[in-house]
Amino acid sequence: MTDILDWTGADLERLNIESSASKAETVARRLIQETGNGDLPFLTMPYLNELKTQLGDLRGRLQSYDHMLLLGIGGSALGARALQKAFFPQQDMPGHEGPWLWIADNVDPSTLDGYLDRLPPEKTVVVTVSKSGGTIETVGQYFIVRDWMRTVLGDRWKENMLFVTGESGFLRDESEAHGITTLPVPENLGGRYSVLSAVGMIPALFLGLDVDALLEGAREVAAPLTDPELDAVTLGKHESFRLACWGKSLMDAGFAELIFFAYIPLWADFGDWFAQLWAESLGKNGKGSQPIPAVGVTDQHSVNQMFLDGPRNKACLFLTCPELPDGPRFPDELPAKFDYVQGKPFGELIRAEGLGTMMALQKNGVPLVEIRMEQDAPRQAGKMIALLGAATILTGWLMDINPLDQPAVELGKRLAKARLGADGLEPEKKDLDAFLSAGREIREF
Ligand code: PA5
């Protein structure tokens, strides 16, 4: 067995895959051009050797800390959290004695207060991750954490700081002003595509994950797409392109929702990572499909009823690993009504329930592709990240939209800044005044 996609339930007969598949030659040519131009570092990973050297240099320094506090949001946080939860579950278990990774990806005053009250500054390394170097949610937390560090450590505060940022922006200036160790977010590598750079690899290294295996897995999947000789036949057989054709044909057929159902429970947070990747990349010009992260078996007792018998507008990526550990055994003596599990490994339960749910979804008309992993190891995670990232980019191309930008989310950010009194933004301020002074329909409940 190896890592596979099982297309048996994909419903290819019902969908018009051909209209996308026939574009393989055009897409292959575009891939050759954009990878050649350096526009797709997510696939070409030109930064890899340098990153490995930088990580090697950092390893010892990171080991001297008990805590890492990561300040970042969106693509600067979700990949790191998925890796943490998948490969470092011990932090959520009794008796853990470190290291600890804390990911601050919100602007919740209570949470930040909690970190500042409880973390020991001298044993904490703060990693501020922002490609633009100016995201207020991240930089805002940085200002407060910097003061906290300074108060306790004095001039040594800089030693406990790391930045991961782009070529320019506030963090880059700050890094130069204070001589703070800074690793790059490579040019053209957008936040949600950046987990395989220092963005995700610094926290992964801190936790002791096998970063090399993860990156090698990703390279293995991405490499064929970066071949300057890539042709339509090779692309047509690449699973990322097949997924893209499927994703596009699903949207064309009115499947407005795409479930990411993880039956590797520790990989549940890849659901949030994927949701951001798919939603921010493809929700454009009235097009796209809504990603829905779900985790087996927990969500069988929650949202699965809707998946099975709600609107018939859902498709599913179903993530499994038949080789998950068996865990403890059920006792040999059990009440008669539970004798069907007697003496069996506990792991049989999730395998059987995964199979049952997958079949039920298919029987209820949900087109489904199973991503079946040989192991739940870092190499497999790297492969999945590359597969889904590439599939997302290619789906965007097939939809005729730009999968690398996110213009619509800017409006809310501008309005929030206007509300806080930032310079300029006159139209937004006018809009705000109108919104806030309009009559409201308010009722008590
Ligand atoms: O995927 C994206 O580009 C976004 O979600 C960003 O990651 C997010 O907005 C944070 O941006 P930055 O890394 O510039 O702080």
Side-chain angles (χ1 to χ4, degrees), residues 114-378:
Y115 289 141
L116 301 189
D117 280 351
R118 289 152 203 246
L119 285 173
E122 65 290 346
K123 295 301 280 174
T124 301
V125 58
V126 178
V127 186
T128 308
V129 186
S130 173
K131 179 183 168 66
S132 61
T135 302
I136 184 60
E137 294 88 342
T138 301
V139 170
Q141 295 196 93
Y142 167 74
F143 291 138
I144 292 168
V145 172
R146 183 182 65 179
D147 266 9
W148 169 76
M149 276 280 182
R150 261 189 192 147
T151 309
V152 185
L153 300 182
D155 219 29
R156 287 186 298 118
W157 70 274
K158 302 167 208 169
E159 292 164 23
N160 290 36
M161 293 279 175
L162 283 178
F163 291 160
V164 184
T165 194
E167 291 281 287
S168 58
F170 166 75
L171 281 185
R172 184 55 69 177
D173 298 343
E174 181 81 349
S175 135
E176 280 156 20
H178 299 292
I180 291 170
T181 307
T182 301
L183 272 75
V185 182
E187 214 189 328
N188 295 330
L189 190 66
R192 57 193 175 274
Y193 295 96
S194 69
V195 56
L196 299 171
S197 72
V199 171
M201 294 305 100
I202 288 186
L205 182 72
F206 174 71
L207 296 175
L209 306 192
D210 188 346
V211 166
D212 288 337
L214 191 88
L215 294 170
E216 269 160 35
R219 275 302 295 146
E220 186 186 326
V221 169
L225 300 173
T226 66
D227 182 349
E229 307 285 316
L230 180 68
D231 58 29
V233 177
T234 313
L235 180 64
K237 288 185 192 151
H238 198 279
E239 292 303 304
S240 66
F241 184 66
R242 287 172 51 86
L243 275 178
C245 294
W246 184 65
K248 168 70 166 64
S249 66
L250 284 166
M251 291 172 202
D252 291 344
F255 288 90
E257 297 179 354
L258 180 61
I259 304 160
F260 181 92
F261 217 149
Y263 270 78
I264 307 178
L266 292 179
W267 287 28
D269 284 71
F270 277 110
D272 290 339
W273 168 82
F274 173 72
Q276 188 222 1
L277 176 73
W278 191 262
E280 226 174 33
S281 300
L282 304 181
K284 283 163 202 169
N285 303 343
K287 303 180 194 173
S289 58
Q290 180 68 39
I292 304 179
V295 57
V297 303
T298 311
D299 284 327
Q300 284 176 220
H301 295 259
S302 152
V303 284
N304 199 33
Q305 171 70 29
M306 184 66 83
F307 294 167
L308 292 165
D309 207 18
R312 312 280 171 199
N313 64 350
K314 292 168 190 59
C316 183
L317 286 170
F318 200 88
L319 176 67
T320 66
C321 175
E323 302 303 322
L324 286 183
D326 277 340
R329 277 184 183 275
F330 288 103
D332 284 334
E333 279 175 36
L334 287 177
K337 75 185 262 209
F338 298 108
D339 63 3
Y340 57 91
V341 292
Q342 211 159 324
K344 291 201 167 105
F346 187 59
E348 288 287 305
L349 196 50
I350 189 164
R351 282 192 278 273
E353 294 203 34
L355 180 64
T357 303
M358 188 167 68
M359 285 179 63
L361 286 164
Q362 288 179 33
K363 276 176 177 286
N364 281 276
V366 177
L368 180 150
V369 173
E370 182 185 358
I371 306 175
R372 196 183 309 148
M373 293 298 180
E374 185 183 11
Q375 290 177 54
D376 58 339

Side-chain angles (χ1 to χ4, degrees), residues 7-63:
W7 289 88
T8 317
D11 239 345
L12 299 180
E13 318 71 43
R14 240 201 316 162
L15 301 165
N16 181 8
I17 291 271
E18 212 19 62
S19 77
S20 291
S22 63
K23 298 193 174 126
E25 195 170 331
T26 319
V27 174
R29 262 189 269 120
R30 184 166 172 188
L31 271 168
I32 293 171
Q33 195 191 351
E34 296 208 11
T35 53
N37 288 348
D39 294 338
L40 293 174
F42 172 74
L43 298 176
T44 51
M45 300 170 88
Y47 56 83
L48 214 52
N49 288 340
E50 200 186 333
L51 173 66
K52 285 185 179 174
T53 310
Q54 289 161 334
L55 293 178
D57 293 346
L58 267 185
R59 191 185 298 268
R61 181 167 159 198
L62 292 182
Q63 279 167 357

